[in-house]
């Protein structure tokens, strides 16, 4: 087998393993998130069978941000309250810098309202909602030496009780 054939085989094997691991990771990640949501846990330590801590799983809670949910209503409001920040091309749209500034102001306030800088009158901005940009999730942070400990545990069979994909004669399990 020449070098290129060796590389081709190695790449094909790694791709097969990566696909199997990615599919299993998605399933385990979803189960972990469900378990954390169900129990209310915000942090879980990952430990090897011998008790060695290898990682910490921590929940994440995205902060809600202002988002334009109805561009037509938002455009109508901006036309009435700040027409200089509306540009007309083939398509009429709110100037991106103004939209960014308004959304940031509403995100900071936590409501889809803005105060007129001159009059102080607070108005609701139609077509904008404050909502999370992504669903709750969690992160995995290996501790110092955690990756190495997991590798050693893998090689010595300490992780055999886990449902980790293996490459079998028919492809990934």
């Amino acid at each position: 087998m020449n070098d290129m054939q060796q590389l081709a085989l190695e790449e094909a094997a790694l791709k097969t393993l990566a696909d199997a691991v990615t599919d299993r990771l998605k399933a385990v990640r979803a189960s972990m998130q469900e378990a954390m949501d169900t129990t209310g846990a915000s942090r879980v330590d990952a430990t090897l069978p011998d008790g060695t801590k290898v990682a910490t799983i921590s929940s994440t809670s995205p902060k809600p941000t202002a988002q334009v949910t109805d561009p037509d209503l938002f455009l109508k409001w901006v036309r009435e309250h700040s027409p200089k920040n509306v540009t007309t091309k083939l398509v009429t749209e709110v100037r991106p810098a103004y939209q960014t500034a308004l959304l940031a102001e509403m995100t900071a306030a936590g409501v889809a309202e803005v105060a007129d800088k001159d009059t102080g009158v607070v108005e609701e901005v139609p077509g904008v909602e404050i909502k999370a940009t992504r669903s709750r999730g969690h992160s995995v942070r290996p501790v110092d030496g955690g990756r190495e400990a997991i590798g050693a545990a893998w090689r010595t069979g300490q992780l055999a009780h886990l449902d980790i994909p293996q490459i079998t004669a028919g492809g990934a399990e």
Side-chain angles (χ1 to χ4, degrees):
M1 188 179 298
N2 67 33
D3 287 347
M4 189 179 291
Q5 288 172 320
Q6 179 73 24
L7 287 171
L9 175 58
E10 186 173 354
E11 182 172 356
L14 289 170
K15 174 73 169 118
T16 299
L17 184 57
D19 289 347
V21 168
T22 297
D23 291 345
R24 182 66 184 136
L25 177 59
K26 286 178 187 175
V28 170
R29 192 167 176 78
S31 295
M32 182 67 190
Q33 188 61 51
E34 183 178 338
M36 291 179 84
D37 289 345
T38 300
T39 63
S42 62
R43 187 177 163 151
V44 181
D45 289 338
T47 58
L48 294 175
D50 68 5
T52 302
K53 180 178 172 181
V54 293
T56 301
I57 313 295
S58 302
S59 65
T60 59
S61 295
K63 293 184 178 161
T65 61
Q67 300 171 38
V68 174
T69 55
D70 188 330
D72 294 333
L73 279 175
F74 182 65
L75 174 62
K76 181 180 176 190
W77 183 87
V78 173
R79 268 192 174 138
E80 288 176 25
H81 293 88
S82 189
K84 69 180 185 262
N85 284 297
V86 174
T87 58
T88 302
K89 304 175 190 175
L90 293 175
V91 176
T92 303
E93 64 184 9
V94 176
R95 290 179 193 263
Y98 183 69
Q99 179 171 326
T100 298
L102 269 181
L103 293 176
E105 182 178 332
M106 290 182 269
T107 294
V111 291
E113 299 174 344
V114 293
D116 183 294
K117 307 248 186 289
D118 297 326
T119 65
V121 174
V122 176
E123 290 195 54
E124 184 176 333
V125 181
V128 176
E129 293 178 23
I130 307 295
K131 58 186 193 176
T133 56
R134 58 188 170 92
S135 59
R136 281 179 41 88
H138 60 274
S139 64
V140 178
R141 291 185 316 281
V143 298
D144 287 343
R147 290 178 192 272
E148 295 79 7
I150 289 171
W154 172 271
R155 288 188 297 280
T156 61
Q158 292 179 55
L159 303 181
H161 64 289
L162 301 178
D163 186 12
I164 297 176
Q166 304 291 320
I167 296 178
T168 62
E173 270 185 358

